[in-house]
Amino acid sequence: MARVAPARPPAAGVAAGEVVLVIGVHRDELAFGDAVAERLGIDGVQVLRIPAGIDPPRTAPGESFRSRMAHREMYLQLRQEVGSRPRLLLDLHCAFDESRRGADVFCGDTGFLDALRPRLEEAGIAADVRLVRIAADGDAGEGPCLAPFETAHTWIPPDVWAAASPRYVGIEIYRTASGSGAPRDWDFAIRLIVAIASCAMSRPNLA
């Protein structure tokens, strides 16, 4: 894993080392992550580039166990690398959908997801972002306080996604161009990252 230092002026409210952006967990998404990171320009956001990532999740019989273990090992290694000092761990992923621009944002903290809504409105991207609560296995996501959010389960260990610090937020960008994406995809990803980072800096990390 290699850190890439940002090179542009700082963004208000983000101190050095408080936000870590991870790119390349899945090897076929690294080119998109590189394109976003090169244009991000937020001092204080450290980019953690994984040059030799793993395959996306495999769910076919005979492949799911190995894939699950590969994800577990990758994210535990990532947790060890990042430590607990940053306030926010942003995990950037992408998929291809030429029909629409959009993103899913995953977090285990519903309070954070609630606080993120007005930031997305301010950025003009709320209609294109779906907020998803990460839940433990066996958690069906029922209850009035959880109703606004869809629920997803993950192969990422709870030591990562449920940690109070750094707070884990996964991002899945639906890029409209294949390969590394197009400028409009990178711009959308950056606007989303800025909104999430500013939200994280405005509220404490709670267990």
Side-chain angles (χ1 to χ4, degrees):
M1 298 184 183
R3 293 188 185 275
V4 179
R8 296 187 183 181
V14 181
E18 288 191 316
V19 177
V20 176
L21 173 67
V22 181
I23 60 173
V25 166
H26 296 147
R27 62 171 61 93
D28 60 345
E29 301 167 3
L30 180 58
F32 176 77
D34 280 336
V36 172
E38 288 170 5
R39 294 161 177 82
L40 186 56
I42 306 177
D43 197 11
V45 175
Q46 291 184 314
V47 178
L48 183 57
R49 185 179 188 272
I50 302 175
I54 59 179
D55 288 329
R58 308 286 189 185
T59 58
E63 295 184 304
S64 63
F65 177 78
R66 288 192 299 271
S67 185
R68 180 187 288 267
M69 290 301 100
H71 279 77
R72 175 178 173 80
E73 291 172 7
M74 170 62 77
Y75 279 97
L76 289 178
Q77 181 182 356
L78 181 63
R79 169 71 174 171
Q80 183 176 19
E81 173 80 10
V82 171
S84 60
R85 293 187 63 184
R87 295 182 63 183
L88 180 65
L89 175 61
L90 282 171
D91 183 18
L92 182 63
H93 295 270
C94 65
F96 176 57
D97 187 346
E98 62 182 353
S99 66
R100 70 181 184 98
R101 180 188 76 170
D104 294 335
V105 174
F106 301 87
C107 184
D109 181 350
T110 56
F112 181 79
L113 293 176
D114 268 329
L116 182 58
R117 292 183 189 276
R119 302 283 181 168
L120 299 177
E121 294 285 354
E122 292 171 8
I125 57 175
D128 299 315
V129 178
R130 181 175 63 162
L131 302 178
V132 183
R133 182 183 73 103
I134 301 175
D137 291 344
D139 183 341
E142 298 176 350
C145 65
L146 304 178
F149 308 110
E150 295 191 31
T151 296
H153 300 96
T154 180
W155 288 353
I156 300 172
D159 288 354
V160 178
W161 68 259
S165 185
R167 175 180 287 111
Y168 174 86
V169 178
I171 304 173
E172 181 91 22
I173 300 289
Y174 296 99
R175 65 188 192 279
T176 57
S178 59
S180 64
R184 61 183 177 273
D185 302 321
W186 309 328
D187 175 70
F188 175 66
I190 290 169
R191 290 164 66 191
L192 179 55
I193 289 168
V194 169
I196 295 171
S198 63
C199 181
M201 294 307 101
S202 69
R203 62 194 311 271
N205 283 7
L206 301 175

